[in-house]
Amino acid sequence: FNVLANNVTVPGFSPLFPDAHCTSDGDICLMTTGEAEINAAVSVTSLWLSDKFDLTSTYFFITGIAGVNPNVATIPGVSFARYAVQVALQYEIDPRELPSNYSVGYFPFGTSSPDAYPSSIYGTEVFELNDALRKEVVQFAQTAKLNDSDAAAAYRAKYTQEAARASPSVVECDSATSDVWFSGKILSDAFADATRIWTNGTGVYCATAQEDNATLEALLRGAKEGKVDYSRIILMRTFSDFDQPYPGSGSLYNLRFSNQGAFLPSLANIYLAGIKVVEGILKGWDSKFKAGIKPTNYIGDMFATLSEDIKPDFG
């Protein structure tokens, strides 16, 4: 697919990435939002506000690299999410000033405990996507031969978790959004707990992200206005690094100095797994995907913005 055949400048896109790049027939388009939540929200909102596209039957395929929780998956594997959880939307106290009975400096708004459900809700804490669609596209992605490297294989062998030591694969697990690029077991465990608690025990945190909840909120507002179909969103991340160090090493080393050997393979795997999804949707367009994949679960935000009749199955 030549996505550079038709380049469309869209007002409101990132100054670094001002164009949407499309095939000549317009069946496939590619945009880059820019990094972190503000860039993602503004760029995606600008997309659906533009009069240059009809997005009402578009499948939105959100991709990017991520850190990975070694308890769930490994570098440079691939994940597809049902939930995106804004784990950094919490109170924070510097760990050096924490009460002695606190294990982590993050705890949900309106509470005084890290293991509580937030009682003050902003609405962007959790987004749930179409799980039936996820299962369809995971089957496509699993046919890809993923990229790997000797360096990545050697690095993941330093971990004790079975999931971390395994060969890279395509897995189903969830995305944790934070503009802060964190490292360490304490924060990883805290955000895994937040993901589990905020989704009523259903979500499994594996992928770090800076943009996902912002992108999904922008698309949700577009869906509310009838501009996009929220049931046609796919969220894929590939793993460039572990979110915590292996035994005997430190969190700073893990974050800034380790050579995990997975950055370039994770970039390659965006294409290798992603192209299988694109090809599968196009091949099955007339028979299945044009009509859409009907959700079997709740989709949307914590406020049930898209449906007054169907309430979230979390909260």
Side-chain angles (χ1 to χ4, degrees):
F1 306 110
N2 180 13
V3 294
L4 298 178
N6 185 18
N7 300 306
V8 183
T9 301
V10 180
F13 272 21
S14 166
L16 297 177
F17 311 104
D19 297 335
H21 306 287
C22 303
T23 54
S24 58
D25 59 9
D27 281 353
I28 305 168
C29 290
L30 171 71
M31 69 173 291
T32 302
T33 65
E35 294 175 287
E37 292 176 88
I38 293 173
N39 280 322
V42 174
S43 293
V44 175
T45 300
S46 298
L47 174 68
W48 68 257
L49 285 173
S50 172
D51 60 2
K52 299 177 184 290
F53 304 97
D54 179 354
L55 304 172
T56 53
S57 61
T58 296
Y59 282 86
F60 292 90
F61 190 13
I62 305 164
T63 67
I65 61 172
V68 61
N69 179 355
N71 296 300
V72 180
T74 195
I75 55 173
V78 180
S79 68
F80 286 82
R82 173 176 173 177
Y83 296 101
V85 181
Q86 195 176 11
V87 294
L89 195 61
Q90 304 191 60
Y91 298 126
E92 181 184 7
I93 297 176
D94 188 297
R96 292 165 295 187
E97 299 177 312
L98 281 176
S100 59
N101 61 332
Y102 276 58
S103 60
V104 66
Y106 281 91
F107 50 101
F109 290 153
T111 77
S112 300
S113 172
D115 59 358
Y117 190 90
S119 63
S120 177
I121 302 297
Y122 287 17
T124 60
E125 290 88 346
V126 179
F127 293 96
E128 186 170 358
L129 301 177
N130 184 346
D131 196 44
L133 174 60
R134 177 173 70 151
K135 294 187 182 307
E136 290 279 350
V137 300
V138 162
Q139 295 180 71
F140 298 144
Q142 286 174 335
T143 66
K145 179 176 174 55
L146 298 180
N147 204 318
D148 198 5
S149 74
D150 291 342
Y155 197 86
R156 60 182 180 257
K158 299 175 183 293
Y159 286 78
T160 58
Q161 297 96 324
E162 182 178 347
R165 297 170 63 88
S167 297
S169 62
V170 177
V171 296
E172 298 180 30
C173 52
D174 300 306
S175 177
T177 298
S178 170
D179 272 343
V180 176
W181 201 318
F182 63 88
S183 175
K185 184 180 186 315
I186 292 174
L187 288 176
S188 178
D189 289 349
F191 294 150
D193 288 343
T195 299
R196 174 180 53 80
I197 293 168
W198 297 6
T199 61
N200 279 2
T202 307
V204 177
Y205 154 64
C206 67
T208 67
Q210 290 184 300
E211 300 84 19
D212 292 346
N213 283 59
T215 297
L216 294 173
E217 175 65 19
L219 289 173
L220 180 119
R221 296 189 187 192
K224 181 68 173 176
E225 299 302 318
K227 299 288 188 178
V228 304
D229 182 345
Y230 207 77
S231 71
R232 299 184 182 219
I233 299 174
I234 303 159
L235 176 53
M236 182 185 87
R237 288 276 174 174
T238 63
F239 303 133
S240 61
D241 59 281
F242 287 108
D243 73 351
Q244 59 190 271
Y246 58 83
S249 64
S251 294
L252 178 60
Y253 172 78
N254 175 71
L255 179 66
R256 295 293 295 129
F257 304 114
S258 63
N259 178 16
Q260 302 191 23
F263 178 68
L264 292 179
S266 70
L267 292 176
N269 287 339
I270 291 177
Y271 174 80
L272 294 171
I275 194 66
K276 295 296 185 181
V277 173
V278 173
E279 290 173 343
I281 291 174
L282 291 176
K283 184 177 180 180
W285 183 258
D286 289 332
S287 61
K288 179 177 293 186
F289 291 98
K290 181 179 181 179
I293 305 299
K294 185 177 180 180
T296 56
N297 60 296
Y298 171 82
I299 60 171
D301 64 352
M302 299 187 81
F303 289 156
T305 297
L306 300 180
S307 174
E308 296 181 355
D309 300 324
I310 303 176
K311 299 302 180 184
D313 49 7
F314 52 86

